[in-house]
Amino acid sequence: MAITPSQLEILRQLFANATPEQKSDFLTWVNKTPQAATSPVTASTFDAFLMERKAPVCPHCGSVHILKNGHANGRQRFVCKDCRTTFGFTNNTILHQSKKDLSVWSLYIGCMIQKMPLRKTAKACKMNLATAFAWRHKVLDALTNMMESVKLDGVVECDETYELVSFKGNHKNSSTFQMPRKPRKRGGRASKRGLSKEQVCVTCGVNLGHQSVGRISNLGKPSCKELASVLDGHVAEGAVMVTDSHRGYCKLADAYRASHIRIPRKRHVVNGFNIQLMNYYHSALKGMINWHFRGVATKYLNNYVVWHNLVNFARGSDEEKECTMRDFVLTTKCVSVWKKNLAREPIPCKVA
Ligand SMILES: [Zn+2]
């Protein structure tokens, strides 16, 4: 049973008047009392859900001088006192103009935590296959924002992994797509031996707390600049960077003011440091992409990497991850429209 605001105020005043010993006794007791786990979304409307999680700010200018401005289609609208534009709760989120109820989104994100294939997901959420596909990348585009705030500290392992460039997808009705090379069967091999422009390089960094960043940096072997394009801003000052013998990392460790442990070729351990966790990260990523999803198009690879970061690699139970993902994805600033999917570059990095 919830207590009333006036009862809460009494509690506050009583606490303010308590002696320091009484306060510390009380706080110990509070910390021992089991807390309810983060409750799953119960609100059946967008507004109630979003209202719980954020104070409205103007999505156009960021101002907090907001006035209520009536309702449209049963939803609260606001007007910004500074820039005079009007908006609702869902502006600039992936829920904008969504015609499905929040419970469907919730269910969909649950399916994503289970890494369910599209057809199964579409059936479970009672939606069209094309919608299920569009939603997958809407959700993952939004999830990419989560990586921006990741700061790797402690022991940070950095390395690259390679995937063959893939043009997987249905191009039958496309007027613009042209296959730049002879088609090959999924999996298959590159026509050249070793590293070449046929492989896309995914640069990754992980720490022992199971935080991670990863993104496509280039084709073939990366330069220092290309490694930096992924790792810049994500390695905390004073971290210990553990890397292979790639020369680029020396410069980066200097720039990030991190100590650097460089593991030479044909060795696995230096002073007790290794890149075993990174190897695990890569093999789980490859398992998900090549085995679980039977290969993914290079244009969507970045999205699968962030999915992998959360679902396979981050710490926590499935329920916790589901709450984190839902709360983040549904409220973060991300405008995702279907046209954006069509306009994606087949290879999302600079091709030299
Ligand atoms: Zn404004």
Side-chain angles (χ1 to χ4, degrees), residues 49 69 78 103 128 147 152 164 230 233 243 265 268 276 305:
F49 170 77
N69 191 32
F78 299 92
S103 57
N128 187 287
M147 201 179 83
L152 301 170
L164 285 174
V230 177
T243 68
R265 270 166 205 236
H268 300 292
Q276 279 309 311
V305 174

Side-chain angles (χ1 to χ4, degrees), residues 58-63 80-85 87:
C58 171
H60 307 287
C61 73
S63 164
C80 171
K81 282 211 266 184
D82 289 337
C83 69
R84 306 307 303 172
T85 48
F87 58 92

Side-chain angles (χ1 to χ4, degrees), residues 35 92 105 144 186 197 203 250 307 310 322 324 350:
Q35 307 283 325
N92 283 355
W105 281 97
T144 316
R186 151 164 64 81
K197 302 271 174 209
T203 300
C250 303
W307 192 356
L310 180 74
E322 198 178 322
T324 317
K350 258 193 203 154

